[in-house]
Amino acid sequence: MGCKNQSTLKDSIYFGGEIINPLSDKVLLYHGEFPIDTLYLNEENIFFSQVDSIKSGIYQLDLLVDAQDILIEPGDSLWIRVNTQGVRESVFFSGYGAAKNNFISDMVLKIEGEEKRMDYSLTAQEFSRHIDSLVSTKKEEWRLMNDQTDLSPFAQKVTQAAYIYSYSNRRERYALLRGTKFSESDSLFYNYRTFLGYGDSDLKYFYPYISYLLNYISEIAVSDNTSFSQTLFSKDFNLKRLEVLEMNIFDEQLKNYLARIIALEELMKNPERNSNEIFLNKYSEVNTSEYYLSEVLGLVENLSLMSPGKELPIVSLQDANGNILSSDNLFTGQPVVLYFWSQTSVSFFSTQLERLQELKNKYPKYRFVGISLEPFNNLMHQMLETIDVSISDHYAFVDFKQASRDWVIQIWNKSIVANAEGKIIEGFGNFVDEDFEKLLANYN
């Protein structure tokens, strides 16, 4: 594909790839929350598509429970190879437009690896010097790539943003963790902000940029006389973040996208306090997107449907034999504990199973049901056979996106407890939390 005459690719992209250990028979191409194309896999787990009249931007290849950012411009002819068992570690691009995407993926992976060695106990001056050194190294890598590749101005901006905003994010996190009361000698700490952009809609779906802006907003929202950890759990913290967002981010699309993230965080942080009218009213003032407003209000409704005493919403499940059944068939005379796992994380599933055995021994009156976020496939069968567990209490979602909305699944540790009739006892339990065990012990 990379050898095609560029005049034939002026307004289109050719996009294909191979998915190792696919979790579905298709992958989806998104721009933010908006679907662009559904790409079906053939018998060799390969997809291919021509997308016409596409705009330059950062797109997401949805692999069901994980996603990969892709920088796409008209005329690109890209091939991606990725293993769902380790998306970031395995992703590789080839074809016309590959260099910029491989650079971004490499930067993200390198900088994430450095986080484990980041020393937030350094003084502000020492920390700044350390970050400056890392930025200088990545800048040289970018210059080498740029000299060898014919990048557009747009691609230059995005590839540079991959490391510039990632390291700026580290600075903001340092300020959040250490507090904003720097000494006079550290007064230049925030100088890096003067070189950054706070209204770049081109980067609105780019993780390094969005992550930086959210920490920037949080840092400003922290009160001078309180620590970040104290402010984080205050009931009005996300309300303050909306106020800071309104005063500091003026690009409408970017502001709406950030407001959406803050709203979802607020609602999920306190799922049983979803009638927070003050917060929702402020969100309605800041946000101008009908699409995002509908999404946020939909979450409010779904949260209310997961309240104790409500009937557990019905979703479609698949058993180990491939049969489709309704989730209300799980309730056959005893209370049920639902826990969730993913084929993409064997280590997490092993931890879940250890906890499962512990709870089953202590609370035999419950039926414990494990639900995979991905449909059953050969990989799942092999996993269950290897760990020698009963498949009669293991199911899989048929449609993860719909089920995750109906049951409001945002974290894998979530667990749902329902009585023998399918009425909710706890809709937002944490499978590994001590309080969850108290809930099981106290229910009669």
Side-chain angles (χ1 to χ4, degrees), residues 201-238:
S201 61
D202 286 340
L203 301 176
K204 65 178 177 292
Y205 299 132
F206 195 37
Y207 174 77
Y209 184 61
I210 293 301
S211 184
Y212 166 73
L213 289 180
L214 288 171
N215 274 328
Y216 164 75
I217 290 167
S218 295
E219 209 282 323
I220 297 177
V222 174
S223 302
D224 289 339
N225 57 349
T226 58
S227 67
F228 174 59
S229 58
Q230 291 173 318
T231 306
L232 180 62
F233 295 103
S234 66
K235 64 180 181 180
D236 61 347
F237 175 57
N238 281 319

Side-chain angles (χ1 to χ4, degrees), residues 11-15 29 36-37 39 49-54:
D11 297 317
S12 304
I13 66 157
Y14 287 83
F15 183 45
L29 186 65
I36 302 298
D37 201 2
L39 311 169
S49 178
Q50 176 182 340
V51 184
D52 296 320
S53 301
I54 196 167

